[in-house]
Amino acid sequence: MGSILGAGAAASQVGEAVGGVAEVFVGNRAEREAAEAQQMLAALQQYGLEFQQPAQGAFDRFMNALNRLPRPLLVGGTLGLFVYAMVAPSGFALRMEGLALVPDPLWWLLGAIVSFYFGARELHYQRARVGTVAPRVAALATLETGATGTAETVAAAEALASPAARLAAKPATMAIDAANPRFNAAIEEWRALRA
């Protein structure tokens, strides 16, 4: 048909040109879906790596189990006292009279020990949360400014400390790379919207 009209080669060239121009504006759907699938797979692998923990020995497992016992034992013991009071009221009353004979300084000591145990535990978790803030701020500064070295990271974190500096800072464009563990699609989308 093209040879009859005499426009076979020219028509195919025009069609290829139109397809190439359209692909510039619309993009190749198959390539885009393949890139999104690759990005999703990389994100899932990254999440999986975050939750992997090294294998623990028998002693570590035993100590972790021992460290988890005090709170359940306190709760169970308190509930057990209520059950004991209903099952054997005279025995319960006798033991409570015995506890009433314990001097106040000994109760204070017990209170201090329990509060130090739970307070130290809470302080440990609080310190762990605070200890992760500085690296997170440095990582965000690195991602936002594109800094690579330690000195550049510190300078970027200091530059981004004030809100005015954060608003004035222009993010560096970073190539989309799903295999890069530091790649974050949400940050890239945010950068694209800010640009």
Side-chain angles (χ1 to χ4, degrees):
M1 183 78 169
S3 61
I4 295 173
L5 297 175
S12 66
Q13 288 177 351
V14 169
E16 289 174 10
V18 168
V21 170
E23 197 170 294
V24 168
F25 293 107
V26 177
N28 188 331
R29 183 176 176 186
E31 289 177 5
R32 184 173 58 244
E33 288 176 355
E36 288 174 358
Q38 174 108 11
Q39 183 179 4
M40 180 63 74
L41 181 62
L44 288 174
Q45 288 173 346
Q46 179 182 356
Y47 292 148
L49 289 174
E50 289 177 5
F51 289 102
Q52 285 183 353
Q53 294 185 5
Q56 294 180 340
F59 179 75
D60 290 331
R61 287 194 307 268
F62 173 73
M63 290 309 293
N64 284 339
L66 195 62
N67 282 333
R68 291 188 178 110
L69 282 179
R71 291 195 302 177
L73 287 178
L74 284 172
V75 170
T78 304
L79 292 176
L81 286 174
F82 282 99
V83 171
Y84 182 54
M86 287 186 259
V87 172
S90 59
F92 179 77
L94 181 65
R95 276 147 189 90
M96 291 302 113
E97 286 297 323
L99 283 177
L101 297 176
V102 174
D104 281 344
L106 195 55
W107 284 114
W108 299 339
L109 181 61
L110 178 65
I113 290 170
V114 170
S115 63
F116 276 124
Y117 172 77
F118 289 113
R121 191 168 187 269
E122 181 60 32
L123 188 59
H124 167 74
Y125 289 121
Q126 181 67 27
R127 285 182 181 157
R129 283 191 296 265
V130 170
T132 61
V133 170
R136 286 181 187 170
V137 169
L140 287 173
T142 301
L143 285 174
E144 190 163 321
T145 61
T148 55
T150 305
E152 289 177 335
T153 302
V154 171
E158 290 173 355
L160 292 173
S162 70
R166 252 193 330 258
L167 290 174
K170 295 289 181 192
T173 58
M174 189 167 151
I176 296 178
D177 182 13
N180 183 357
R182 291 180 24 187
F183 175 76
N184 187 324
I187 292 177
E188 292 302 322
E189 182 180 343
W190 175 73
R191 285 182 182 164
L193 291 173
R194 281 188 58 197

